[in-house]
Amino acid sequence: MAAEVGRVGVVGLGTMGAGIAQVCVQAGVETVGVEVAPELVERARGRITHYLGRGVEKGRMSAAERDAALNRLQLSTDRADLTGCGLVIEAIVEDLEAKRELFAELDRLVAADTILATNTSALSVTALARATGRPERVVGMHFFNPAPVLPLVEVVRTEFVDEERYETAYAFAKRIGKEPIRCGDTPGFVVNRILIPLLNDCVRVLDEAGVSPEDLDRAMRFGVNWPIGPCALIDLIGVDIHVHASEALHAALGEPRMAPPQRLVRMAGDGLLGRKTGRGFFVYDT
Ligand SMILES: NC(=O)c1ccc[n+]([C@@H]2O[C@H](COP(=O)([O-])OP(=O)(O)OC[C@H]3O[C@@H](n4cnc5c(N)ncnc54)[C@H](O)[C@@H]3O)[C@@H](O)[C@H]2O)c1
């Protein structure tokens, strides 16, 4: 049922898009990455070159493999360069109107059989499919951060999707070394639907039980065998990203546990965003 994707496009080369493009070129796939400005193209090139270089330093790939991967990467500010792609993965800002505008244009630009995928965490894939004239070609491909490290991809189907294209997207995720799962277009898909309220419960327990972040993390690591404590995990995700995702899930499903705890809202307002600002629940070297 699944067809083989030749060239892949990635639109938006921030945290997620640069990581996804890196995974694709490392897996041997010709990749076209598109950003909005030349300096953002150069930032993405620098980031991907840096992480591939680290792979060489750590003995995970040879210098020749790194160079071959970089040679498969074409970067541009022109969406027209996506025309030859069999699959385009969108990873631009989490804004419905921006994504709808992009999908409508991609729909006009690329061939009729090109699959359009979105990496959205919280928006409706169905709403994006509706922005195109061919909603059957739109799927969700939800990667996790950091994309080169975490294997999961949630491959999201809508009620419109064409099964062959869906299976092609699933097979592509496998081909680039990921562990895809199949799921429907429901708020939070699978992982965030479970993880967001769970992490919010953990944060509420801090105040309810008068426990420190250090001890809460030790409780979940040593009592439940979590590989990382909940406070350290929120620091890694980014407090602002977690608050935003909680608000979106709460707006969609209305369960009180999904609303961000006040402690996190205050931390986000105070710029205590976790690892990326050097301080969240814990302090980090920046
Ligand atoms: N950060 C995460 O943990 C994470 C995890 C999974 C999914 N996501 C989703 O991935 C998407 C991107 O998130 P991110 O964290 O990488 O954001 P980011 O802000 O790091 O990157 C977004 C990039 O898109 C670019 N961009 C914006 N509009 C564009 C356009 N029209 N054309 C081309 N490029 C454009 C921006 O210049 C920016 O570099 C969002 O939908 C987000 O919900 C994020």
Side-chain angles (χ1 to χ4, degrees), residues 120-132:
T120 184
S121 301
L123 300 173
S124 155
V125 180
T126 306
L128 297 175
R130 284 207 176 99
T132 71

Side-chain angles (χ1 to χ4, degrees), residues 246-281:
S246 295
E247 284 166 347
L249 202 60
H250 185 241
L253 295 176
E255 274 185 38
R257 296 172 61 228
M258 291 168 175
Q262 278 313 305
R263 182 195 270 252
L264 289 182
V265 175
R266 274 198 309 275
M267 286 171 70
D270 291 344
L272 302 176
L273 305 185
R275 282 185 177 270
K276 63 184 161 191
T277 55
R279 203 168 148 205
F281 286 104

Side-chain angles (χ1 to χ4, degrees), residues 11-17 34-36 40 43 47 79 90-94 98-99 101-102 119-122 142-145 237 241:
V11 188
L13 301 169
T15 307
M16 293 306 296
V34 174
E35 254 297 345
V36 284
L40 296 174
R43 184 189 65 177
R47 201 180 278 182
R79 290 178 186 176
E90 165 283 308
I92 71 167
V93 280
E94 186 79 336
K99 288 192 195 281
E101 183 271 325
L102 174 66
N119 185 48
T120 184
S121 301
H142 186 219
F143 290 75
F144 286 73
N145 186 19
I237 293 168
I241 301 254

